[in-house]
């Protein structure tokens, strides 16, 4: 496997810090994409644009083999005000790389640079995907013809995982991340003076009972052997101390693995909201969106990841339970065999989790991730003879 020098790793860390200082939200990653494309072009990669608006794919072919793999890195930031206090903190108020995508980009770029001087046989596509955070950039790239225009045998994606010790790797044969949906329930009643509640129909009381009743979906409508989450995360209603409002809005998220469970959750939310609201002389309307499918690995692709990782002394293969968080790499796995895996990124001392305003990618992981990508390229595109 081609080596990566210490100077190259330091430069890649510099890229990561630059990207961290200049975060861009989903489908707005214009400067980030230009940063990526400039470097890939310098190393001889053919640049493809037009996938998922701001997505970038760098393609490099060597030898005569028709084999091809994809390596995906997400590139968007989050609408969070950074409080990490690091010297390379975000310079854009209200936006930050709170999930480590700046690190994912830099790991992939470091691997792409090294791969440009390696002797593999086949084609590697480095897929830099926009809008992973809630906006479905993976789906957009697929719909724009990513796999139609750039055939791949398999595709791989990784995520830094602060809950795991540095260098530990999890690549499950099946479930990795849950499917997710969002819901908004509008509860409408009849407003009244707070001192005369009997003259109205109180949507706040109705909404409170709906929130409580929704908790029974996972505990009473889904088998204990299956996984399901229904979480209310917002309630909005009223703007005066002494006025019962006309309307209350409840918002939240749902998670599941089996599609039948996802359908059951949606149905039960609707039934509960409407019937509970009616019992308080109110009405309810539901706006429900199924956002991402579950991230399910292809077993053979997961075996390939574990086998490649076993060739690296710095990485330890472990097992872990799947996460109820969601990931839009799922859309790519619906189209192509592949594997999504976690690389442990735990820091000594304070170790903020993903999406924390205090989070900053662990730079110690960068060389491990880059070498992991190179090991996969060596495994899947070996030079003949």
């Amino acid at each position: 496997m081609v080596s990566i020098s210490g100077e190259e790793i330091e430069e890649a860390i510099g890229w990561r810090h630059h990207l961290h200082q200049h975060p861009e939200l989903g489908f707005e990653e214009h400067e980030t994409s230009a940063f990526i494309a400039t470097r890939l072009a310098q190393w001889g990669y053919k640049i493809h644009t037009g996938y998922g608006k701001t997505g970038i794919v760098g393609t490099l072919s060597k030898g005569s083999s028709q084999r091809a793999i994809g390596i995906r890195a997400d590139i968007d930031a989050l609408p969070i005000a950074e409080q990490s206090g690091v010297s390379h903190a975000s310079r854009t108020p209200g936006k930050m790389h709170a999930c480590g995508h700046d690190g994912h980009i830099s790991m992939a770029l470091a691997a792409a640079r090294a791969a440009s001087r390696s002797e593999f046989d086949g084609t590697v596509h480095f897929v830099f995907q926009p809008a992973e955070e809630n906006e479905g950039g993976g789906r957009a790239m697929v719909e724009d013809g990513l796999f139609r225009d750039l055939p791949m045998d398999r595709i791989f994606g990784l995520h830094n995982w602060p809950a795991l010790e540095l260098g530990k790797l999890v690549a499950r044969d099946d479930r990795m991340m849950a499917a997710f949906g969002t819901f908004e329930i509008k509860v409408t009643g009849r407003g009244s003076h707070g001192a005369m509640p009997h003259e109205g129909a109180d949507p706040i009381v109705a909404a409170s009972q709906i929130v409580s009743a929704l908790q029974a979906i996972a505990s009473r409508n889904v088998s204990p052997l299956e996984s399901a989450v229904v979480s209310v995360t917002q309630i909005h209603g009223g703007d005066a101390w002494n006025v019962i409002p006309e309307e209350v809005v409840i918002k939240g998220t749902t998670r599941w693995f089996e599609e039948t469970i996802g359908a059951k959750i949606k149905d039960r939310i609707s039934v509960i909201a409407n019937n509970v609201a009616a019992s308080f002389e109110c009405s309810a309307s539901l706006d429900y969106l199924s956002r991402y499918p579950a991230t399910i690995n292809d077993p053979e692709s997961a075996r390939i990841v574990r086998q490649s990782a076993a060739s690296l002394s710095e990485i330890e293969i472990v097992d872990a339970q799947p996460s109820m968080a969601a990931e839009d790499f799922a859309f790519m796995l619906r189209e192509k065999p592949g594997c999504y895996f976690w690389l442990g990124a735990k820091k000594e001392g304070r170790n903020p989790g993903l999406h924390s305003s205090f989070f900053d990618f662990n730079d110690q992981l960068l060389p491990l991730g880059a070498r992991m990508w190179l090991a996969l390229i060596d495994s899947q595109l070996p030079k003949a003879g």
Side-chain angles (χ1 to χ4, degrees):
M1 185 173 73
V2 65
S3 63
I4 306 175
S5 71
E7 291 79 8
E8 288 177 328
I9 292 300
E10 286 304 312
E11 186 174 5
I13 290 172
W15 299 336
R16 208 280 291 179
H17 291 181
H18 169 82
L19 292 165
H20 193 90
Q21 289 175 320
H22 301 90
E24 295 177 297
L25 302 182
F27 296 128
E28 298 175 1
E29 309 96 328
H30 300 288
E31 291 185 13
T32 303
S33 294
F35 181 95
I36 294 165
T38 297
R39 280 149 188 79
L40 291 173
Q42 289 174 349
W43 306 324
Y45 284 79
K46 183 176 181 180
I47 307 302
H48 308 274
T49 60
Y51 300 100
K53 298 181 182 177
T54 47
I56 292 286
V57 182
T59 298
L60 188 64
S61 297
K62 295 188 177 186
S64 58
S65 173
Q66 297 302 303
R67 292 179 302 232
I69 63 168
I71 290 173
R72 175 271 205 169
D74 36 14
I75 68 175
D76 57 321
L78 283 156
I80 295 174
E82 183 161 2
Q83 300 183 73
S84 69
V86 297
S87 61
H88 52 272
S90 170
R91 296 179 180 178
T92 305
K95 300 177 185 179
M96 71 171 287
H97 274 291
C99 204
H101 296 182
D102 50 342
H104 299 171
I105 296 167
S106 301
M107 285 191 288
L109 285 176
R113 182 188 208 172
S116 70
R117 50 177 197 269
S118 71
E119 297 185 357
F120 63 85
D121 187 14
T123 298
V124 59
H125 302 284
F126 281 90
V127 179
F128 293 89
Q129 181 216 299
E132 185 276 326
E133 302 287 358
N134 297 320
E135 303 305 322
R139 173 175 51 202
M141 291 192 86
V142 170
E143 290 175 348
D144 285 341
L146 174 66
F147 296 127
R148 177 198 66 214
D149 301 340
L150 304 172
M152 304 175 201
D153 301 318
R154 300 180 189 276
I155 188 161
F156 302 92
L158 71 77
H159 207 292
N160 77 98
W161 211 249
L164 283 174
E165 295 291 337
L166 182 69
K168 291 183 184 286
L169 178 145
V170 176
R172 295 175 54 83
D173 283 344
D174 42 43
R175 299 176 173 185
M176 283 296 293
M177 308 284 278
F180 100 97
T182 58
F183 63 87
E184 179 176 316
I185 303 167
K186 186 180 295 184
V187 183
T188 304
R190 295 191 311 277
S192 66
H193 195 291
M196 306 169 192
H198 61 288
E199 294 182 355
D202 192 337
I204 290 181
V205 173
S208 300
Q209 295 298 317
I210 290 170
V211 170
S212 180
L214 291 178
Q215 306 314 303
I217 296 175
S219 65
R220 291 297 178 267
N221 299 133
V222 176
S223 167
L225 302 178
E226 284 293 344
S227 300
V229 173
V230 179
S231 290
V232 172
T233 56
Q234 299 179 51
I235 302 178
H236 304 276
D239 45 30
W241 290 98
N242 60 348
V243 177
I244 293 173
E246 193 84 8
E247 181 180 286
V248 172
V249 175
I250 304 166
K251 297 183 181 182
T253 187
T254 58
R255 310 290 163 129
W256 67 92
F257 284 104
E258 294 295 333
E259 292 188 7
T260 54
I261 301 299
K264 168 70 79 173
I265 291 172
K266 178 183 177 181
D267 177 68
R268 292 302 299 155
I269 291 176
S270 178
V271 170
I272 288 170
N274 280 287
N275 287 329
V276 172
S279 71
F280 289 91
E281 299 182 347
C282 296
S283 63
S285 62
L286 172 65
D287 183 9
Y288 188 97
L289 292 175
S290 293
R291 303 294 295 273
Y292 294 177
T295 303
I296 309 295
N297 285 340
D298 163 57
E300 176 60 17
S301 299
R303 184 195 66 79
I304 288 167
V305 167
R306 294 192 298 269
Q307 185 178 54
S308 300
S311 69
L312 301 173
S313 60
E314 317 98 307
I315 292 180
E316 178 187 354
I317 302 163
V318 298
D319 195 16
Q321 293 297 312
S323 170
M324 296 308 287
E327 164 62 63
D328 80 339
F329 189 62
F331 290 107
M332 295 187 181
L333 291 181
R334 281 192 160 187
E335 301 296 322
K336 289 289 176 182
C339 176
Y340 181 82
F341 58 98
W342 302 328
L343 273 181
K346 189 173 184 178
K347 292 182 176 181
E348 295 295 328
R350 189 174 187 182
N351 184 49
L354 301 175
H355 293 207
S356 165
S357 60
F358 295 93
F359 180 83
D360 184 40
F361 178 85
N362 188 347
D363 286 330
Q364 293 183 65
L365 182 61
L366 202 153
L368 302 186
R371 285 195 278 271
M372 183 64 210
W373 286 137
L374 291 173
L376 266 172
I377 293 171
D378 280 359
S379 166
Q380 295 305 289
L381 306 175
K383 185 175 169 132

